[in-house]
């Protein structure tokens, strides 16, 4: 929290002294967007990221490295907000520019390839994501080596795309490899290790190994709360996962506080119409219905349906 006022006053000074289009002012705006995004203030962050991107396009040109970085950041920003279609378009634009200007195996080209594959998976286009992520993984292994953090992100993303297509055994082997390497290379409490612990739980859960999945979820959640805090989107994902697992095991009363926490926090942090909030509203209704609390469940189902119609169309 302390960094924000300092950054705001630095930015104000730079705008005044150097002007709106000075590289230092733009770098400062970029930092501001990044800071707001990390604090979960997504709509505010987007304003800064968009201004940086549009100004760099105008001042530096379409293919300047800083412009390409700004387009990539804009895509990452939209992805975090759940606006996956627009994120995909920006990632495709920057990928094409980076392939052409930096080459096929440049770290920044690979980073964009990886991000594009992840966004396609989020949109449910995992059949399109798989070849993109296989290419990314193969090149990361060659360029960065087997245990580099970027290689492990690619490994993880490919596992997710395979999982979405029901290729669960192959996904599990990638999940295990990523987790084992992250524990060793990054340590037990690195955010990427925690994502891997959660992903291992998801994979086992989807395969129906609920008893095996549960300790992974509990370990991930305990560490997410400690390392990233209660309101971080990864913590919320894990709270949701554990709730669903308990419901699947028939432990409905034990599942309920997890469902309520995930929903209340998502409404507050992500907003009423974020895809994850909508999923939480729907899940809450389903849990109450399973408990036989039909009158209590109904308003959640009505709210979810109405918001899905508005956000996704008929």
């Amino acid at each position: 929290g302390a960094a924000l006022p300092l950054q705001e006053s630095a930015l104000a000074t730079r705008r005044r002294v150097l002007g709106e289009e000075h590289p230092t002012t733009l770098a400062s705006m970029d930092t501001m967007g990044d800071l707001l995004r990390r604090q979960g203030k997504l709509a505010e962050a987007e304003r800064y990221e968009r201004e940086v991107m549009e100004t760099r396009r105008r001042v530096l040109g379409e293919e300047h490295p800083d412009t390409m970085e700004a387009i990539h950041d804009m895509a990452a920003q939209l992805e975090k907000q759940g606006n996956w279609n627009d994120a995909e378009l920006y990632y495709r634009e920057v990928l094409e520019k980076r392939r052409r200007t930096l080459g096929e195996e440049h770290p920044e080209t690979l980073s964009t390839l990886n991000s594009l594959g992840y966004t396609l998976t989020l949109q449910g286009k995992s059949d399109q994501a798989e070849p993109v992520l296989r290419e990314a993984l193969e090149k990361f292994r060659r360029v960065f080596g087997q245990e580099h953090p970027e290689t492990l992100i690619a490994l993880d993303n490919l596992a997710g795309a395979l999982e979405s297509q029901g290729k669960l055994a192959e996904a599990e082997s990638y999940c295990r490899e990523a987790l084992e390497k992250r524990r060793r290379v990054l340590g037990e409490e690195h955010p990427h290790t925690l994502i891997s612990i959660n992903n291992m739980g998801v994979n086992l859960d989807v395969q129906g190994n609920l008893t095996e999945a549960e300790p992974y979820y509990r370990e991930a959640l305990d560490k997410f709360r400690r390392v990233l805090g209660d309101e971080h989107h990864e913590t919320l994902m894990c709270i949701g996962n554990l709730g669903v697992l308990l419901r699947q095991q028939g432990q409905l009363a034990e599942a309920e506080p997890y469902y309520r926490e995930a929903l209340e926090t998502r409404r507050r942090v992500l907003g009423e119409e974020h895809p994850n909030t909508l999923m939480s509203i729907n899940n809450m209704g389903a849990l109450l219905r399973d408990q036989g609390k039909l009158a209590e469940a109904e308003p959640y189902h009505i709210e979810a349906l109405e918001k899905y119609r508005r956000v996704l169309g008929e």
Side-chain angles (χ1 to χ4, degrees):
L4 198 58
L6 292 174
Q7 190 57 42
E8 274 173 335
S9 84
L11 176 56
T13 306
R14 285 169 181 160
R15 282 194 202 267
R16 194 175 65 247
V17 176
L18 302 172
E20 293 292 344
E21 298 190 347
H22 193 282
T24 310
T25 308
L26 291 172
S28 191
M29 286 170 66
D30 207 20
T31 308
M32 192 73 195
D34 197 44
L35 205 56
L36 289 161
R37 184 166 70 222
R38 282 208 297 273
Q39 292 183 358
K41 296 174 179 162
L42 300 180
E44 283 174 67
E46 185 188 336
R47 272 209 319 279
Y48 287 101
E49 299 288 7
R50 201 174 281 286
E51 193 178 341
V52 171
M53 177 181 76
E54 285 165 4
T55 309
R56 282 182 177 164
R57 284 194 200 267
R58 194 172 64 246
V59 176
L60 301 174
E62 288 292 342
E63 298 198 342
H64 190 284
D66 291 353
T67 306
M68 292 191 287
E69 185 192 0
I71 300 168
H72 189 280
D73 289 350
M74 188 71 227
Q77 173 63 43
L78 291 164
E79 179 197 292
K80 284 273 181 301
Q81 287 173 263
N83 186 349
W84 299 324
N85 294 351
D86 287 355
E88 180 193 338
L89 296 176
Y90 284 119
Y91 280 137
R92 287 194 185 280
E93 179 189 350
V94 82
L95 177 61
E96 187 265 323
K97 288 178 169 151
R98 281 178 164 168
R99 284 196 202 267
R100 194 170 63 247
T101 59
L102 301 175
E104 291 290 344
E105 299 202 341
H106 190 281
E108 285 172 12
T109 308
L110 298 187
S111 160
T112 307
L113 197 60
N114 204 11
S115 298
L116 172 63
Y118 180 67
T119 303
L120 289 166
T121 305
L122 288 175
Q123 291 181 76
K125 301 176 180 174
S126 49
D127 52 333
Q128 289 178 45
E130 185 185 335
V132 171
L133 292 168
R134 283 196 189 280
E135 181 189 347
L137 178 60
E138 182 245 324
K139 288 177 173 167
F140 272 124
R141 287 197 202 266
R142 194 164 65 245
V143 176
F144 285 91
Q146 297 290 344
E147 299 200 338
H148 190 280
E150 292 288 339
T151 307
L152 301 182
I153 291 172
L155 205 56
D156 223 18
N157 288 348
L158 178 57
L162 292 167
E163 215 159 79
S164 299
Q165 294 177 74
K167 300 176 180 175
L168 301 179
E170 191 183 356
E172 185 183 338
S173 71
Y174 288 120
C175 274
R176 285 196 189 279
E177 183 185 346
L179 174 56
E180 180 264 319
K181 287 179 173 161
R182 280 174 166 165
R183 285 198 199 267
R184 193 173 67 248
V185 176
L186 302 174
E188 285 296 341
E189 299 210 333
H190 189 283
H192 289 183
T193 308
L194 306 192
I195 289 169
S196 257
I197 296 168
N198 180 59
N199 288 351
M200 197 65 234
V202 170
N203 181 276
L204 293 164
D205 185 352
V206 174
Q207 290 190 65
N209 299 337
L210 304 186
T211 316
E212 246 182 286
E214 189 176 336
Y216 286 105
Y217 281 157
R218 290 194 183 276
E219 179 188 357
L221 179 55
D222 174 50
K223 289 177 175 172
F224 273 133
R225 287 196 197 275
R226 200 164 58 243
V227 175
L228 298 177
D230 290 330
E231 297 197 346
H232 194 280
H233 65 94
E234 294 291 353
T235 309
L236 293 175
M237 195 60 80
C238 207
I239 292 167
N241 288 345
L242 184 55
V244 172
L245 181 86
L246 292 166
R247 177 180 157 210
Q248 287 172 313
Q249 291 177 331
Q251 299 180 51
L252 303 183
E254 203 188 331
E256 190 173 328
Y258 292 105
Y259 274 70
R260 287 197 186 278
E261 183 185 357
L263 174 56
E264 280 157 24
T265 312
R266 280 174 171 157
R267 285 197 203 269
R268 196 172 60 247
V269 175
L270 300 176
E272 289 294 342
E273 298 196 348
H274 190 284
N276 293 355
T277 309
L278 299 187
M279 179 176 71
S280 255
I281 296 168
N282 201 37
N283 286 352
M284 195 68 228
L287 178 70
L288 291 165
R289 195 183 60 226
D290 288 356
Q291 290 177 313
K293 300 174 180 171
L294 301 184
E296 230 182 300
E298 190 181 347
Y300 289 103
H301 285 307
I302 291 169
E303 181 187 357
L305 180 57
E306 183 192 306
K307 288 180 174 162
Y308 272 125
R309 279 206 171 118
R310 197 160 60 240
V311 175
L312 301 174
E314 285 297 338

